[in-house]
Amino acid sequence: MRNPLLRPRALVAAGTAAVLALGAAACGDSGESDADVTFWHIQNEDPMKSTWQAMADEWSEESGQSVEVSAIEVEDFKTRLATQTQAGDLPDLYNTWGGGVLAEQVEAGLVRDISGLDCLDLVNPVALEAYTIDGKLYAIPFDQGVVGFWYNKDLFAQAGITTPPTTWAEFTEDVQILKDAGITPIALGGGDKWPVHYYWTYLVMRLAGLDGLAAAAESKDFSDPAFAEAGQLLADLAAMEPFQEGFESATYGEADGQAAHMGEGIAAMELMGQWGPQVQRDASGTEGIGESLGFFPFPAVDGGPGTATEFLGGGGGFAAGSEAPDEIEDFMCYLLEEENQARSVKDGNMSTVAANPEAVLPEPNHEQQAVIDAMATATDTQLYLDQAYPPSIGSTINDASQGLILGELTPEDFVAMVNEAWAAEQ
């Protein structure tokens, strides 16, 4: 099996044609449904919640196959998908981010091989590589992009900051300047854990470099000093108290959570993926901050081999359970039709993974363009660690990241937890 722990360099080559903001996904308990097809996704807010439902209804009418659609909050989705994986009964269509999680499901024989899907010419071939294992395709992509800082230009200007930071030292200086101006520097959904792991991952990427991170994953040993140093920098940031009040239990996408603080113009920054602007609007129940929203890469760290052109990123795809009816391939092709991809782009504020991007995204808005520009400058990418690694490792990194910023773990404790989890996998 191709090593799923290694970073997907193919994301870089995709360029503007392979950028897509986070849309919906699917998951479900197929054993408890009387429908012909179970389709569970994580886009549990409108407009995309209704858009995916409409597409399922349309295909159902055309095909004569009944479809049960469930919109599930992302953390609940991960938990339920893990349960279904353990039970050996994945839903007919479900979200996947690729990486070690998908590889584990494939190895267990739970995922349908869709290498022969007759509509793959509608997708940029590079966007398929994240879901290709041992030369076989196991998911169709609908989303691809990068993680960076979305920031409020007006709040930066109010604090006297004229340009985004390019180094970690400048970043922490700006955090203090924002605090001194009475502005919450960073919105964070600490209760969800995974938004926290972005910080630690990026710091490791900058201090160890992507080659160092890949070597550690290959050897299943995070004992290189760069990993503890990354933890110390994150602990130092947390000690500055840069996050909104109540961040410890705040979620990412719910009211009063991370995205809502950005959408309401309360916090100056959030570290998030290409889907961030739409969730800011959804979670806050507002139109967001419009043209005041900017984007900048995670800063470089002095002394480390990593660069600001190396991005944490990835995307979303739809995989089919091995027991799904043959009609599932027709449904997947329906979702990939250019007209339907264009609907997702419009309703979900997405970019596109289409083979013919101009047909799907003729005029990017400023948020989409920001991600497109970032992808165009990317020299390499790293898949989110909680998806790149086996589930037990990814969840440990998320848990340890939360414990670190809460002061419950030291950087050395963090490394020890991850190494123990690696040891248990062997």
Side-chain angles (χ1 to χ4, degrees), residues 68-346:
E68 181 181 274
V69 184
S70 299
I72 307 171
E73 187 273 330
V74 64
E75 287 303 305
D76 188 25
F77 162 77
K78 292 177 182 178
T79 300
R80 295 173 70 173
L81 187 64
T83 299
Q84 291 305 118
T85 300
Q86 290 295 320
D89 182 25
L90 291 179
D92 297 321
L93 196 65
Y94 66 96
N95 179 75
T96 178
W97 292 278
V101 176
L102 179 63
E104 186 175 88
Q105 295 164 351
V106 168
E107 190 169 11
L110 300 177
V111 190
R112 185 185 185 95
D113 176 2
I114 57 168
S115 302
L117 205 63
D118 61 11
C119 59
L120 296 180
D121 60 339
L122 295 174
V123 183
N124 184 313
V126 177
L128 300 174
E129 297 208 14
Y131 311 103
T132 301
I133 300 172
D134 285 344
K136 297 180 181 180
L137 182 67
Y138 291 96
I140 57 169
F142 61 85
D143 153 31
Q144 201 159 321
V146 294
V147 173
F149 278 104
W150 294 100
Y151 75 106
N152 188 317
K153 298 177 184 178
D154 291 342
L155 293 182
F156 267 49
Q158 183 179 326
I161 302 171
T162 57
T163 58
T166 60
T167 68
W168 184 253
E170 292 174 355
F171 175 78
T172 55
E173 288 174 6
D174 286 347
V175 165
Q176 189 60 55
I177 291 170
L178 289 162
K179 282 178 61 71
D180 292 343
I183 298 168
T184 299
I186 303 172
L188 184 65
D192 276 342
K193 302 179 184 178
W194 60 266
V196 188
H197 110 280
Y198 288 166
Y199 287 85
W200 185 81
T201 302
Y202 255 129
L203 288 166
V204 169
M205 288 169 58
R206 299 295 186 256
L207 288 166
L210 289 179
D211 287 338
L213 182 57
E218 187 71 22
S219 66
K220 299 179 173 56
D221 183 2
F222 278 18
S223 298
D224 186 289
F227 292 87
E229 186 179 350
Q232 187 60 60
L233 290 181
L234 179 53
D236 291 344
L237 174 65
M240 296 179 70
E241 299 183 350
F243 312 122
Q244 81 276 14
E245 185 176 352
F247 80 91
E248 300 91 342
S249 60
T251 61
Y252 165 59
E254 295 182 357
D256 297 326
Q258 174 175 327
H261 274 71
M262 287 297 297
E264 294 170 10
I266 298 172
M269 294 178 280
E270 70 163 341
L271 183 61
M272 193 47 59
Q274 64 273 16
W275 57 89
Q278 185 60 46
V279 183
Q280 290 171 16
R281 290 186 282 269
D282 293 343
S284 65
T286 71
E287 293 301 314
I289 61 174
E291 295 291 334
S292 295
L293 186 66
F295 182 89
F296 65 89
F298 194 93
V301 178
D302 291 342
T307 70
T309 60
E310 294 170 341
F311 284 89
L312 182 65
F318 291 132
S322 57
E323 299 301 316
D326 291 341
E327 289 83 357
I328 199 67
E329 294 194 5
D330 184 66
F331 187 24
M332 296 171 96
C333 284
Y334 182 75
L335 296 176
L336 285 180
E337 290 181 3
E338 287 184 342
E339 178 182 354
N340 287 332
Q341 290 195 52
R343 290 164 66 185
S344 299
V345 164
K346 178 179 180 295

